[in-house]
Amino acid sequence: MDKKTTIRNNWTKEEIEEIYHQPLLELIYKASTVHREWHDPSEVQISTLLSIKTGGCPEDCSYCGQAARYHTNIKVQALLPTETVIAHAQKAKDSGSSRFCMAAAWREVRNNRDFDRVIDMVKGVNELGLEVCCTLGMLTEEQAIRLQEAGLYAYNHNLDTSEQYYEEIISTRTFDNRINTINNVRKAGITVCSGGIIGLGETHRDRISMLLTLATMPKHPESVPINALARVAGTPLEDNEKVDTWEMVRMIATARIVMPSSMVRLSAGRIEMNETEQAWCFMAGANSIFTGERETLLVTPNPGVSEDMQMLEKLGLKPMKMKESTCC
C-alpha cells in the first residue's frame, strides 16, 4: 500500500484549526483518503475492555462514576481473581477481539500484591496471543518496565482534554502528571494509547489543543481513543448535553489526518449512536471499537458483541486479525 501522507510531529495550532474547521464533507473525504493510504479500510480492530477493579477511586474526575466522592449507583468491586480475568480474555478472543484491555480504578500503581497480580494477568493474557493493554493510573518508569517485561503491549492514559481546560475537570492530578506517565510508558518500550473525551464543556479550541499535544509528541500515540462523554448520574457532568455525532466525526477525521498511522478508536458514547452514525465515524477514519460480553464499557452501557458483529457485516467490514509481530 503506497503511503503518500508523511508523518509530521511539527504541527501548529493554526494548521490543525484549518483542518478541523473545513466543511464537514470535505474533511471526511480528506480523512478517508489518508485512512486508505495507511490502513485497510475494510478492517476494524475489535477491542475488549474489562474493569478488573471497579470504583472507590480517590480522584475527582468530573465525568467518572468510579470516583469515591460522587454518589452514583456503581458498586465497588475488588481486584478480580487472575483466573477470572484470563477466562474473560479467552472469551473475548473467541468472539473476535484482538486486543484485551484491563482497567483498574486506581489513582496510581503501587508496588504491592495487587500489582503483582496484575503482572500475572498480563502474562496470562499475553500467552493467549492477544494484544495486552492496561489502564491503571499513573505509573513510574520502573513499573512500566515490569509491565513490559510481563508482555504488556499497550498502556492507556488519556489526556482527557486540553492543558488549558484540564483544571476545570480534574483537580487531584495535573496535566503534567498525564504527560509524565506517557513518557514513562514510552521509555519502557510499551506502545501508547492516549486520546480524550469531548462533551465535557470544552470549546472547539480545547479539542484542537488536545489534538495538537498528541500530534506533536516525538512519536504519535499508536492508539488515539476519541470518547463522547458518557453521562453518569451523580457526577458533576451528569446534565451535560449529549455530544452531537457530527462533532465526533469531526474529531475523528482531524485525528486521522494529523496522526495518519495511529489507530483511531471510536470509544465511549457508541450506545447513543445508531449504525448510520457509526458508519460515518468509520468513513472518517475510525478503525477500532470497544465491545464486551457484559454490554458495558467499564461502568457505562455499550453495544454488545453480537450487535457489533451484525453492524460490521452490514457495513461490509471485518474484524482485524491479530498481527504476528504484535504478539509476545
Side-chain angles (χ1 to χ4, degrees):
M1 189 182 300
D2 293 332
K3 298 179 175 62
K4 300 177 182 177
T5 304
T6 56
I7 300 291
R8 288 182 52 192
N9 305 83
N10 62 344
W11 292 97
T12 66
K13 193 167 188 176
E14 291 72 25
E15 287 175 320
I16 298 180
E17 282 179 339
E18 185 177 352
I19 293 169
Y20 181 92
H21 289 297
Q22 287 180 90
L24 186 60
L25 292 182
E26 182 67 16
L27 173 61
I28 293 170
Y29 171 74
K30 290 181 178 178
S32 182
T33 301
V34 171
H35 184 62
R36 281 158 172 73
E37 291 171 358
W38 285 87
H39 305 272
D40 182 343
S42 69
E43 288 188 341
V44 173
Q45 185 178 43
I46 308 299
S47 305
T48 296
L49 177 61
L50 177 69
S51 180
I52 59 173
K53 186 273 177 184
T54 305
C57 182
E59 300 276 27
D60 69 350
C61 306
S62 299
Y63 53 82
C64 185
Q66 300 197 67
R69 68 192 66 203
Y70 304 138
H71 301 291
T72 67
N73 293 323
I74 294 166
K75 295 180 180 179
V76 176
Q77 168 196 279
L79 190 66
L80 293 174
T82 301
E83 56 270 21
T84 300
V85 173
I86 303 303
H88 279 291
Q90 182 64 61
K91 192 168 184 178
K93 181 180 180 180
D94 294 342
S95 298
S97 289
S98 58
R99 176 179 287 219
F100 188 78
C101 187
M102 297 174 283
W106 292 333
R107 167 180 164 78
E108 60 197 349
V109 174
R110 298 182 184 276
N111 295 314
N112 56 22
R113 286 181 296 177
D114 281 349
F115 186 40
D116 293 340
R117 287 170 59 191
V118 171
I119 292 294
D120 289 338
M121 294 174 192
V122 170
K123 291 177 179 177
V125 175
N126 184 58
E127 288 173 359
L128 295 178
L130 290 163
E131 289 183 3
V132 196
C133 178
C134 278
T135 179
L136 312 169
M138 295 181 287
L139 79 168
T140 65
E141 184 179 350
E142 291 73 25
Q143 290 164 340
I145 290 171
R146 280 195 68 192
L147 288 164
Q148 189 276 333
E149 290 174 344
L152 190 72
Y153 178 73
Y155 195 83
N156 168 258
H157 204 63
N158 290 330
L159 298 181
D160 288 344
T161 189
S162 70
E163 183 175 7
Q164 297 76 18
Y165 192 63
Y166 190 84
E167 291 182 0
E168 300 295 322
I169 301 301
I170 304 162
S171 70
T172 48
R173 75 168 85 172
T174 67
F175 191 82
D176 284 343
N177 290 149
R178 299 268 181 184
I179 298 298
N180 289 341
T181 290
I182 291 171
N183 289 339
N184 289 337
V185 168
R186 248 327 154 211
K187 290 174 187 175
I190 300 169
T191 66
V192 171
C193 177
S194 187
I197 308 169
I198 66 172
L200 303 175
E202 77 287 345
T203 65
H204 290 289
R205 290 182 66 85
D206 287 315
R207 297 174 186 177
I208 290 163
S209 179
M210 182 188 73
L211 290 176
L212 177 67
T213 299
L214 296 169
T216 55
M217 288 180 174
K219 186 175 183 180
H220 294 162
E222 285 80 2
S223 298
V224 180
I226 302 297
N227 299 273
L229 173 66
R231 295 158 294 171
V232 179
T235 64
L237 302 184
E238 65 175 311
D239 294 324
N240 280 28
E241 292 184 4
K242 175 186 176 295
V243 172
D244 183 82
T245 297
W246 298 119
E247 296 293 298
M248 283 289 285
V249 171
R250 190 174 290 279
M251 276 294 287
I252 287 167
T254 305
R256 169 53 64 219
I257 290 171
V258 300
M259 293 173 281
S261 66
S262 301
M263 298 291 293
V264 178
R265 303 185 182 275
L266 174 58
S267 301
R270 286 200 304 121
I271 195 67
E272 296 190 86
M273 300 171 70
N274 61 36
E275 289 182 347
T276 302
E277 291 170 322
Q278 293 181 69
W280 277 105
C281 292
F282 296 133
M283 180 62 71
N287 57 344
S288 177
I289 57 173
F290 285 98
T291 192
E293 60 186 85
R294 295 175 172 176
E295 299 188 353
T296 58
L297 191 63
L298 292 183
V299 294
T300 57
N302 192 66
V305 178
S306 60
E307 186 179 345
D308 283 333
M309 291 303 179
Q310 289 173 15
M311 174 184 67
L312 294 183
E313 184 176 2
K314 188 179 297 184
L315 297 177
L317 300 173
K318 59 190 177 185
M320 184 180 295
K321 292 184 179 180
M322 182 72 184
K323 295 179 175 58
E324 293 293 332
S325 60
T326 62
C327 175
C328 310

